[in-house]
Every structure is written in C-alpha cells, then in structure tokens.
Amino acid sequence: MGIDNKDTSYDSLYKAFEERIELLAKLPKMDEDNSIEKVIKENGFSRRDFMQWAGMVTAMLSLPSTFTPLMAEAVKVADRLPIIWLHMAECTGCSESLLRSANPSIDSLIFDYISLEYHETLMAASGWQAEQNLENAMHKYKGRYILMVEGGIPTGNEGSFLTIGGHGKKGKDIAIDAANDAAAIFAIGTCSSFGGVQAAAPNPTGAVPLSKVTNKTVINVPGCPPSEKNIVGTLLHYLLYGTLPALDVFNRPKWAYRLRIHDLCERRGHFDAGEFVQQFGDEGAKDGYCLYKVGCKGPYTFNNCSKQKFNQGTSWPVQTGFGCMGCSEPDFWDTMGTVNEPLKDRLYHTAFGGLGADATADKIGIGILTVTAIGIVAHAAIAVIKPPKEGE
Ligand code: FSX
Ligand code: SF4
Ligand code: F3S
C-alpha cells in the first residue's frame, strides 16, 4: 500500500472506517449526558489540542493525515465498546501509566470516556459486589467486550497463588472465563504479555503469560509499563479496523513494536560516532553520549518509546540519561543481564524486523544478534583513532 492519499486503497479504507464508526454509533452510549467534547473541555484542553492529538494518533497508526477527522469521530464512539480490565499478578503500573490521575493526558481522558465496565482499581464496588459486577458485565456483553488483562497469571499450586474476591476464585480461572467470551483480548504490559517480573527465575508462583492460559489470540502490548499511547492506540486500531492488527512474532502490534529503540534513538549519532558514556556522571553523560556501555539494551528492544515518549511526550528512559532495560522484551529480567552493563558479545535472541544500520543481522529471523557487539568493537576502535576534539 502506497502513501499517496489519492491511493484507492486508502479510499476504500476510509470508507470502511466510516461504515464501522456509523455501525458503532448506533449502539447505546455509556452515558447519554457525556461526550468526548465535554470531557476534553472540563479537563482544560481545547478542541485544537484534541485535533492535534487525533493527528498524532493517526500518524502513529501509519495512516495519512487526511484520516485525522475520522480518528476524532472514532473517539466519539469509543464509549460503545464495553471493556473489562482484569488485574492479575503485577504492580498496577500499567493502569497508572494510562490514568496518570495527577496530570491526565488526552490519552488518559479517552480512557475515562470509554465504557470501562469492570476495573478493580477504579470501580467503587468491592468484595461480593465487585464479583457480581464482573459476572454481570461478562453476561451482558457476552461475545462483544474487549478484555484487557494486566499482570502475569500464576499457575503454580493449581493457580492458588492468586485468588480474588469473596469466593476466592483463582485469577487463572477468571482470566480463562473472561477470555472465552471476549471479542478481542489485549495483554496490557509485559507481565500479561510475557509473564513479567513474577515469572523471573525461579518463578515461584509459576506465572505465565495470558496467551498460555487461553487458546484465543492475544494481542500483546508489552512494556513495564507500556506507554499510554500504545494502550490507547491498540484500542483505537481495533475500533477502526474491527480486526486484529498486523503482529510480530511475539504478537505485538507492528505499528508500535516494529522498530528497535536503537533505530530511532536521539543518541544514535553518538553510537555511530563511537561516543559513549563510560560511567554515569562523566563528561560523555553531560554531552548526551550513547548509553550502550552503561547498559542500554536499546539495540535488542522493540518498542516506540524513543518516538512516542511518555508523560505527554515529555521524556523517555534514554532521554533522562539512563539506558533502556529492554522492558518490552520477553523474559527481560532474566535475559538482558545486569542493568548497568552491556550485553557485549553475549548471544541474544531477537525478533526480526529491525531496520537500522545493522538490520541485516535482525533479518536472519528469530536469530542471533551479535552485530551490535561487533559494531561496538568497531566503533570503539574508531573512537581510539579519531582525532581529539578541540581543547582536549
Ligand atoms: Fe507493573 Fe503492569 Fe510492569 Fe507488569 O505494568 S509496570 S510489573 S508490566 O503488569 O503493573
Ligand atoms: Fe540509544 Fe541505547 Fe542505541 Fe545508544 S545503545 S543509541 S543510548 S538506544
Ligand atoms: Fe522500556 Fe526501554 Fe522503553 S526500558 S520503557 S522499552 S526505553
């Protein structure tokens, strides 16, 4: 598909999106008195801010800018899709990433606006009432709701490491039941996508990814936590297309996880020039040099943090001066090594698809990425022989 806006394939996509929005608009609103315009206004954002945001999401989903008004329309009907959000074994950082209640972004407001039928952190109900609410929502919206699950699923001791509610139902069973009747399933965060911190060796609770307890397709939205943009983008993508997005080998949406952190990193020029921070606080750190030698795992990590950033686009780990830990990769706690040390020549399995300077190594497939380490040696040599900077 080309990027020409006159491309007929975009014309038909536009039409398909319009039809889907029309269809959703016919479903009942969550709250007749509420509207996205009202939510935006009450939280101090202008229509212009909202349209700018819609333009950003449109670009993030690799759609032409002519789709921006349609994206804004799609948000208006987002409250027609019932959502059930389950908490398993995790830290609630994924919810916090999205809600950011102290300083909500437009992404978090969208989440406020949607039809969140069940979310343990947010709802007022507790105990028996909460359990009842979940059952009611699953029954009422059977086959129609979107299931979002945060957290790994403990399966050890027959799943008894996680029990929820007055009846002590196992988290594993709740997740399986909820997945059975869902229209689409999103694993939010690395814990739900890949097991996460509780699945790190020796994994005492036998925590597994959501995809291991259901036969249905699970779209993984990893990151510990994932950015609010990737969560909202996944929802809006589903809303517009009504189908699953193109996924990589780890079932991550390609629109968000296609490239490595390293491919779009603002410090990449320093990597290529062999300019590295040797230890935190040194002159290189002050000059914004590459963090590879103090442990950045950006060359092995597929995510869009360097482009979309966090906290309303304010910053992201590498911008703050600390390397990427690889938090959106499977088993990063066990496989990415010491946080402040490079992987060097350790062999590392990675998904294919990287398009950076060392793309060829990635294209081997689920292959072995050693070229970065080799590259580092080459760059280090360049660093030794390059002429000293003026004044050195
Ligand atoms: Fe925490 Fe979510 Fe990490 Fe896990 O995020 S931020 S431990 S991905 O499940 O709450
Ligand atoms: Fe950026 Fe890390 Fe790559 Fe250096 S190694 S360019 S800091 S992603
Ligand atoms: Fe995680 Fe690395 Fe992004 S640590 S938040 S994938 S920069």
Side-chain angles (χ1 to χ4, degrees):
M1 190 185 282
I3 52 164
D4 183 349
N5 291 359
K6 292 194 192 89
D7 188 320
T8 49
S9 54
Y10 275 129
D11 286 347
S12 54
L13 192 62
Y14 198 94
K15 203 159 177 297
F17 286 175
E18 276 182 325
E19 282 169 12
R20 179 139 168 93
I21 291 169
E22 267 172 39
L23 202 73
L24 288 168
K26 288 185 185 136
L27 296 171
K29 272 179 77 63
M30 178 173 68
D31 173 359
E32 278 302 331
D33 295 331
N34 205 9
S35 70
I36 191 65
E37 288 88 351
K38 193 172 162 198
V39 172
I40 296 290
K41 200 169 166 208
E42 278 173 2
N43 284 277
F45 291 99
S46 65
R47 175 159 172 83
R48 189 194 174 93
D49 295 329
F50 176 61
M51 290 312 289
Q52 266 176 357
W53 174 88
M56 183 279 301
V57 180
T58 304
M60 185 173 80
L61 296 181
S62 305
L63 292 167
S65 57
T66 46
F67 279 57
T68 300
L70 207 55
M71 186 63 73
E73 288 301 308
V75 172
K76 287 184 191 168
V77 298
D79 67 339
R80 270 58 161 204
L81 289 179
I83 294 180
I84 293 179
W85 181 297
L86 297 180
H87 285 280
M88 295 287 134
E90 37 78 19
C91 77
T92 310
C94 303
S95 289
E96 178 53 27
S97 166
L98 191 56
L99 301 170
R100 304 191 57 255
S101 30
N103 183 19
S105 62
I106 293 187
D107 300 279
S108 32
L109 296 180
I110 304 305
F111 211 72
D112 260 359
Y113 175 65
I114 59 179
S115 177
L116 205 49
E117 292 295 322
Y118 181 86
H119 187 298
E120 282 154 16
T121 313
L122 300 180
M123 64 192 187
S126 61
W128 307 107
Q129 184 61 54
E131 277 182 305
Q132 194 58 51
N133 286 359
L134 177 58
E135 276 175 29
N136 291 349
M138 281 169 54
H139 181 70
K140 186 171 173 192
Y141 300 109
K142 190 171 177 173
R144 276 184 48 208
Y145 60 83
I146 295 175
L147 176 66
M148 296 193 175
V149 178
E150 176 176 0
I153 322 285
T155 59
N157 227 352
E158 295 174 357
S160 56
F161 289 109
L162 175 66
T163 57
I164 300 168
H167 292 103
K169 203 168 169 190
K170 289 168 186 165
K172 177 168 80 83
D173 295 333
I174 297 174
I176 291 170
D177 288 350
N180 279 343
D181 290 330
I185 308 171
F186 304 152
I188 303 294
T190 296
C191 299
S192 184
S193 300
F194 305 131
V197 61
Q198 48 282 311
N203 192 356
T205 64
V208 299
L210 177 65
S211 57
K212 283 271 177 348
V213 301
T214 173
N215 292 328
K216 297 181 75 172
T217 303
V218 176
I219 300 172
N220 290 328
V221 187
C224 189
S227 73
E228 70 272 28
K229 294 210 162 47
N230 286 356
I231 303 173
V232 169
T234 302
L235 179 68
L236 289 175
H237 192 289
Y238 177 75
L239 190 150
L240 280 170
Y241 286 85
T243 55
L244 302 185
L247 301 171
D248 75 0
V249 287
F250 295 125
N251 271 22
R252 298 176 289 201
K254 279 190 183 170
W255 63 262
Y257 299 90
R258 188 172 60 90
L259 296 176
R260 291 165 308 164
I261 294 293
H262 189 60
D263 294 326
L264 300 172
C265 178
E266 65 238 26
R267 299 186 188 224
R268 178 61 184 260
H270 291 298
F271 176 95
D272 291 343
E275 294 170 334
F276 298 102
V277 175
Q278 304 293 342
Q279 60 180 44
F280 291 112
D282 69 6
E283 284 304 309
K286 287 177 196 152
D287 288 343
Y289 281 9
C290 169
L291 298 160
Y292 183 88
K293 289 190 176 180
V294 285
C296 180
K297 308 301 186 301
Y300 318 96
T301 305
F302 290 79
N303 206 339
N304 56 3
C305 315
S306 41
K307 197 167 177 207
Q308 302 302 340
K309 302 190 177 181
F310 288 76
N311 303 341
Q312 301 186 45
T314 320
S315 189
W316 68 290
V318 166
Q319 189 176 336
T320 68
F322 199 86
C324 166
M325 293 165 65
C327 82
S328 54
E329 292 302 309
D331 303 327
F332 80 99
W333 296 100
D334 293 332
T335 58
M336 289 285 188
T338 309
V339 168
N340 290 350
E341 288 176 13
L343 286 177
K344 294 181 187 154
D345 56 354
R346 270 185 49 193
L347 301 181
Y348 192 75
H349 294 276
T350 185
F352 46 78
L355 295 173
D358 49 0
T360 42
D362 286 355
K363 293 223 165 104
I364 292 167
I366 308 179
I368 309 287
L369 179 68
T370 53
V371 76
T372 304
I374 295 163
I376 281 288
V377 174
H379 287 307
I382 293 164
V384 171
I385 59 167
K386 74 175 184 163
K389 284 201 276 184
E390 216 175 304
E392 278 180 345

